[in-house]
Amino acid sequence: MQQALERIAVPTLALLASAIAFGLLLAVYARVDPLETFALMYQGAFGTWFSWQNTLTRAAPLILTALCTALPARLGFIVIGNEGALVVGGVAGAAAGIATSGASPLVAQLAMAVAAMVMGGLWIALAGALRQWRGVNETISSLLLTYIAIALMNHFVEGPLRDPSSLNKPSTWPIGDANMIGTIPGTDVHWGLVFGIVACLLAWVVLRFTTWGFAMQVIGGNPKTARMMGLDVGRYVLLACAAGGAAAGLAGMVEVAAVHGRANASLAVGYGFAGILVSFLARHHPLAIIPVAVLLGGIGASGGLLQRRLDLPDAAVVVLQGIIFVAILASETLYGRLLPRKREG
Amino acid sequence: MTVIGAAPLPRHDGAPSLELVGFSKRFGALAALDDVSVKVNAGAFHALLGENGAGKSTLVKCAMGYYAADEGQILLNGREVAITHPRQAHELGLGMVYQHFTLVPNMTVLENFVLSRDHLPAVIDWAGERRRLRDYFATTPFAVPLDTPVADLAAGQKQKAEILRQLYLKRNLLILDEPTSVLTPDEADEVLSTLKALTQARQLTIVTITHKFREVNAFCDTVTVLRRGQLVDTRPTRDLDNDTMAEMMVGRRENRVVVERETRAPGAAVLSIEGLSVADHVGQLAVEELSLEIRAGEIVGVAGVSGNGQRELVETLAGQRHAEAGRMLVHGEPYAATRAEMVRHKIACLPEEPLRNACVADMSVAENMALRAFDQPPASPDGVRLKRAPMRDTALRLIEAYRVKTPGPNAPIRALSGGNVQRAVLARELSSDGDLLIVANPCFGLDFAAAAEIRTRIVQARNRGAAILLVSEDLDEILQLSDRIVVMFDGKLALQADANRADVGAIGRAMAGH
């Protein structure tokens, strides 16, 4: 009970502290009224149907990329290569879409999704394998893999897959309007949101109601005990990393097949890195990821309004995100100290 | 420069006397201590006896300033002192050695000793410190390697280092919390007789919490018994015999069921170890070409001083470490410690420090009890779905059958006391009626009632035909339980003998490498 309370109280406190810090920054440095700013942010994120749709559209990739950190976190791994998995997933998805152009849209869309998930999964599984069998820190390797992923994307976008007509912004061939996955009926929000929510529900069910999830909890809690129980730790590491990477890869495919219609540098705009923040805020809980992603999506969506009304720079909301991330990491130390505990006699 | 108003704390050379008067301490509804008074004479070797939860640890933690007592005065050499923080206790010359180790594991012995000095200069003269410490170790009856990280020391060496550190810091009143639970009898005698000599020379006063009557009889001059937070009595050891002490501790004479060791001829070989070599974490061979066979219905006791490869052997059998060479056969089939093999051959494991080695501290008692069977019916009908209700029912049954004291099946297992964690693990491992049981120091740190119960369960498993490998640093335990005794020294078997023909002198010499 106390622990459950703490799990909610600590992130809430951290969010509050970040809001205060951001407010002070606004008042002292940008010389705008913090309260007015927050009201505007609310307006821009959740004030109207239009802003809600903007928020949800931004939340969709965050939900998927957050799973890339959340699933390996069950095993005690800190994976931050979400951006890289998203990028390789997007490029693989675009390649599959181009290769299957002419086939029926359903076949093309399935091919894109499978290709993106396989590539994203392999990408993060590589980091997991390096850790499991070579002792390479998975945090560092997954981060560095991101830069390799971006370099690979640039290679394909400017080389083999380049559409010669994309002059200013090198892009791949378009996947074709027929193969776009479209929006949820009655909204401007694309289907990626549904994919994300389904993926989170699926992750929650697996973690909570299957022996696999239980085994992952044992491995994350005490690998030595897991080995004594004969659990195949290496296999679980590979599978969890691959599943997380597949989610982020799918986010890349959604960006291609629902937003841009082709792969280009717009894939690497930080949805992967923001996903890390979402996962940590949600304490790696698959269901908590959804509301947190909506909140973060809302903060992102409000950036435009702040720019228009208060003449704040575009990056203001990124500063807020950064402050939140630092506050969340710092608040980790509060667990077990916030509320008085019964002492052992 | 002196700070005005800060009176120097009284510090005495030579053994001080310590009097604790009227100590009471409550934790919520629980009275951990209720008006307890103890007088420890200067130069005494004073034993504090009591079952788990009797208040011994609480009392000494109050004296050391770790807990603030609700009531109570401390008189040191007859003068009242206020101890509200461990640092004050240290400055008064009070030191404590714990059952659980307090050295920083990833720092070397030298660094740990320097670290714990009261006034550490900003720039440390490592060469000087090393020289001082080496000179100091030359004067002590035992020593520990200076440049080894503490994590790499065996349990016995760690405890020696803990005691040496207190002496090095010139503490003249030591409180020992079950100091010998990780030592062999010889090591324990060595440590305790050294300490005894220091008390007789009036250089040291010692209060020791212990469960071992043998040590009380051999070394302690006074005994204080606590029971459920209350003082039972303080008496000279010479006026007490073991039965009286036991009665004072438990209050009434319990019917101790001694499990009859059925005489039975051992059956077929269950575990065969053939030429097994295992490297330790730095890559040196800790187990060298070891071969051993354990048959159904026998307990093979592996005696030896800690750090002679026992831990690596147990970890390899448990699946926590890979062998460099050799092989293991269970029921004649090659065994690689996979989950399928463990289930098929019904292998169970009771490692030392079960909370660290055989539990997930943050998971609940019920979940920890399900670690062996969570992927089999009834917890999982098909190996995929997980059902919490049968898991909890199983746990409730085991909690009852093994008398695990827990707030409930959903409490995190780290909230349980050491004895109850051990019982919970025992319940999990024995409930499957295993054919092969690998046991390491099962009674480490337990009071004698809990230890007797766990030993009884082990013998019961043997009586029903299980093959048991018992690795223990407690020679009495090995002699009491084993059918066959082997001694491990330097990664090899130094001696093999039938238990009923075992010559304790020969075993002791083999343990010491002679």
Side-chain angles (χ1 to χ4, degrees):
Chain A
M1 186 55 215
Q2 266 188 341
Q3 282 182 0
L5 206 64
E6 230 173 35
R7 264 196 285 265
I8 294 172
V10 171
T12 310
L13 271 180
L15 278 180
L16 214 63
S18 338
I20 292 170
F22 186 57
L24 281 174
L25 198 71
L26 289 173
V28 173
Y29 184 72
R31 303 210 172 273
V32 293
D33 177 6
L35 291 179
E36 188 198 341
T37 313
F38 285 126
L40 264 180
M41 285 181 74
Y42 178 80
Q43 192 66 24
F46 309 110
T48 63
W49 176 229
F50 174 80
S51 49
W52 259 106
Q53 294 189 99
N54 190 359
T55 295
L56 291 177
T57 305
R58 286 166 185 268
L62 296 184
I63 295 174
L64 285 167
T65 53
L67 282 172
C68 186
T69 299
L71 292 175
R74 278 284 160 148
L75 300 173
F77 280 42
I78 298 178
V79 167
I80 59 170
N82 321 29
E83 185 94 358
L86 181 148
V87 165
V88 294
V91 172
I98 295 162
T100 55
S101 65
S104 77
L106 190 66
V107 171
Q109 286 163 2
L110 269 177
M112 285 190 285
V114 169
M117 289 171 72
V118 167
M119 267 316 286
L122 285 175
W123 205 250
I124 300 301
L126 181 60
L130 281 172
R131 162 69 189 272
Q132 187 64 22
W133 287 285
R134 281 289 167 265
V136 180
N137 181 303
E138 77 284 356
T139 314
I140 307 285
S141 69
S142 64
L143 176 65
L144 296 182
L145 276 170
T146 297
Y147 295 107
I148 298 176
I150 291 171
L152 274 178
M153 176 187 72
N154 289 335
H155 169 71
F156 281 108
V157 163
E158 288 168 21
L161 295 177
R162 177 164 185 179
D163 176 359
S165 67
S166 60
L167 296 175
N168 294 330
K169 188 171 189 180
S171 302
T172 63
W173 302 91
I175 59 168
D177 286 346
N179 294 340
M180 298 290 281
I181 57 175
T183 56
I184 303 169
T187 69
D188 284 337
V189 184
H190 58 69
W191 283 100
L193 181 67
V194 177
F195 295 172
I197 291 172
V198 169
C200 281
L201 286 173
L202 200 66
W204 179 68
V205 167
V206 168
L207 292 179
R208 175 84 192 141
F209 298 107
T210 70
T211 54
W212 304 323
F214 189 84
M216 284 170 68
Q217 203 184 343
V218 173
I219 294 167
N222 189 345
K224 216 174 165 190
T225 301
R227 275 188 214 102
M228 194 186 116
M229 294 300 144
L231 294 174
D232 190 342
V233 176
R235 199 184 63 178
Y236 279 101
V237 165
L238 282 189
L239 286 178
C241 289
L250 185 62
M253 176 267 187
V254 167
E255 285 299 295
V256 168
V259 182
H260 305 298
R262 48 178 72 196
N264 55 34
S266 301
L267 281 173
V269 289
Y271 283 128
F273 290 117
I276 304 167
L277 172 56
V278 172
S279 184
F280 271 86
L281 255 172
R283 303 216 28 89
H284 313 307
H285 191 294
L287 292 188
I289 282 174
I290 299 169
V292 172
V294 170
L295 182 69
L296 266 283
I299 291 176
S302 64
L305 196 63
L306 294 189
Q307 199 174 7
R308 287 197 301 277
R309 294 278 185 82
L310 298 177
D311 207 20
L312 283 174
D314 201 16
V317 291
V318 181
V319 172
L320 176 58
Q321 279 190 8
I323 294 176
I324 293 176
F325 198 32
V326 171
I328 287 291
L329 288 181
S331 73
E332 292 281 319
T333 58
L334 283 178
Y335 287 94
R337 296 191 199 177
L338 194 61
L339 299 165
R341 289 245 167 121
K342 280 180 205 154
R343 298 175 78 170
E344 301 294 323
Chain B
M1 187 181 130
T2 52
V3 180
I4 296 165
L9 287 153
R11 172 77 200 241
H12 303 268
D13 291 327
S17 73
L18 176 73
E19 197 170 350
L20 305 172
V21 186
F23 266 77
S24 295
K25 174 75 184 167
R26 301 186 70 85
F27 294 107
L30 176 80
L33 282 180
D34 182 10
D35 192 25
V36 172
S37 299
V38 179
K39 185 172 189 336
V40 180
N41 294 319
F45 204 127
H46 195 117
L48 211 49
L49 272 179
E51 287 198 298
N52 283 349
K56 305 159 301 202
S57 292
T58 311
L59 181 66
V60 297
K61 280 179 182 162
C62 287
M64 287 297 296
Y66 286 101
Y67 290 161
D70 300 337
E71 281 170 61
Q73 291 179 325
I74 303 174
L75 303 179
L76 193 65
N77 283 332
R79 185 177 152 184
E80 186 173 347
V81 291
I83 298 179
T84 55
H85 191 277
R87 203 179 305 116
Q88 290 171 318
H90 294 159
E91 281 167 10
L92 291 165
L94 272 58
M96 183 149 176
V97 175
Y98 297 90
Q99 178 186 0
H100 303 293
F101 305 115
T102 59
L103 297 167
V104 182
N106 57 359
M107 293 173 78
T108 65
V109 172
L110 173 69
E111 287 165 343
N112 265 289
F113 273 58
V114 172
L115 174 77
S116 54
R117 277 179 41 185
D118 286 330
H119 300 286
L120 203 56
V123 178
I124 296 168
D125 167 20
W126 285 106
E129 296 287 350
R130 176 187 302 276
R131 198 172 51 243
R132 256 195 300 284
L133 203 55
R134 205 184 297 120
D135 292 348
Y136 173 71
F137 278 179
T139 68
T140 55
F142 46 80
V144 282
L146 274 182
D147 294 313
T148 312
V150 167
D152 300 347
L153 294 178
Q157 289 174 306
K158 282 186 203 165
Q159 193 62 296
K160 285 180 177 177
E162 296 271 357
I163 291 173
L164 281 175
R165 181 173 62 160
Q166 295 297 327
L167 297 176
Y168 183 62
L169 296 172
K170 300 207 165 38
R171 309 264 157 86
N172 50 22
L173 193 153
L174 286 193
I175 298 173
L176 314 176
D177 189 352
E178 293 180 37
T180 61
S181 48
V182 289
L183 307 185
T184 62
D186 281 350
E187 278 180 323
D189 286 354
E190 185 190 342
V191 171
L192 291 175
S193 54
T194 312
L195 294 175
K196 177 82 179 167
L198 289 169
T199 61
Q200 280 167 337
R202 286 273 179 158
Q203 289 174 2
L204 199 60
T205 304
I206 289 176
V207 179
T208 179
I209 295 175
T210 181
H211 294 306
K212 294 180 182 167
F213 289 171
R214 191 185 67 83
E215 289 169 7
V216 174
N217 288 324
F219 298 103
C220 300
D221 37 49
T222 320
V223 180
T224 293
V225 181
L226 298 182
R227 190 199 313 151
R228 289 181 193 162
Q230 291 180 324
L231 177 71
V232 178
D233 203 357
T234 299
R235 288 194 215 164
T237 313
R238 60 174 181 277
D239 296 350
L240 292 167
D241 58 28
N242 287 354
D243 288 345
T244 320
M245 280 195 284
E247 199 185 331
M248 285 165 74
M249 275 173 66
V250 296
R252 64 200 135 68
R253 232 166 251 264
E254 274 184 69
N255 261 345
R256 295 219 185 286
V257 189
V258 178
V259 171
E260 284 300 314
R261 303 170 52 80
E262 292 168 14
T263 45
R264 51 174 301 162
V270 176
L271 171 69
S272 308
I273 302 170
E274 296 176 357
L276 189 72
S277 294
V278 184
D280 63 15
H281 63 283
V282 291
Q284 292 195 323
L285 280 190
V287 178
E288 266 186 87
E289 293 180 22
L290 184 139
S291 296
L292 182 65
E293 191 173 88
I294 302 165
R295 290 162 293 179
E298 74 169 350
I299 299 179
V300 174
V302 178
V305 181
S306 66
N308 275 293
Q310 298 100 317
R311 183 166 62 181
E312 287 79 5
L313 174 64
V314 169
E315 285 179 351
T316 310
L317 291 170
Q320 297 171 328
R321 196 176 276 275
H322 290 292
E324 298 293 308
R327 60 177 190 162
M328 302 175 282
L329 300 172
V330 179
H331 290 311
E333 294 172 32
Y335 168 68
T338 65
R339 191 163 175 91
E341 287 168 345
M342 288 176 186
V343 172
R344 189 165 72 239
H345 298 305
K346 296 207 258 184
I347 295 169
C349 216
L350 284 178
E352 56 193 347
E353 296 185 71
L355 191 61
R356 265 189 49 203
N357 290 321
C359 291
V360 184
D362 288 334
M363 289 171 83
S364 72
V365 174
E367 288 171 326
N368 272 287
M369 282 179 160
L371 290 185
R372 283 279 179 207
F374 71 87
D375 51 1
Q376 293 151 38
S380 175
D382 49 15
V384 175
R385 279 179 292 156
L386 185 71
K387 302 200 157 182
R388 303 262 162 185
M391 249 165 72
R392 218 193 48 235
D393 294 342
T394 309
L396 285 171
R397 192 166 49 74
L398 291 176
I399 286 169
E400 165 109 28
Y402 287 79
R403 283 177 293 155
V404 182
K405 279 187 209 127
T406 166
N410 295 328
I413 199 160
R414 67 179 139 69
L416 271 55
S417 71
N420 284 307
V421 172
Q422 185 67 290
R423 277 199 198 97
V425 172
L426 193 75
R428 174 183 79 207
E429 298 292 324
L430 291 186
S431 59
S432 62
D433 286 344
D435 286 347
L436 173 61
L437 188 55
I438 294 146
V439 187
N441 295 315
C443 302
F444 171 70
L446 302 189
D447 66 34
F448 69 67
E453 182 192 328
I454 280 164
R455 286 174 187 149
T456 303
R457 304 256 188 204
I458 292 171
V459 174
Q460 276 169 348
R462 170 236 182 228
N463 287 349
R464 92 179 137 63
I468 297 171
L469 179 74
L470 168 69
V471 175
S472 178
E473 287 154 21
D474 181 348
L475 187 55
D476 291 333
E477 183 171 75
I478 296 230
L479 290 169
Q480 190 192 343
L481 299 182
S482 308
D483 295 286
R484 206 144 56 84
I485 296 174
V486 300
V487 176
M488 212 165 157
F489 182 78
D490 207 11
K492 302 185 192 74
L493 294 188
L495 179 124
Q496 302 206 36
D498 276 348
N500 47 16
R501 283 196 298 263
D503 170 7
V504 179
I507 292 174
R509 286 193 296 279
M511 284 166 70
H514 293 299

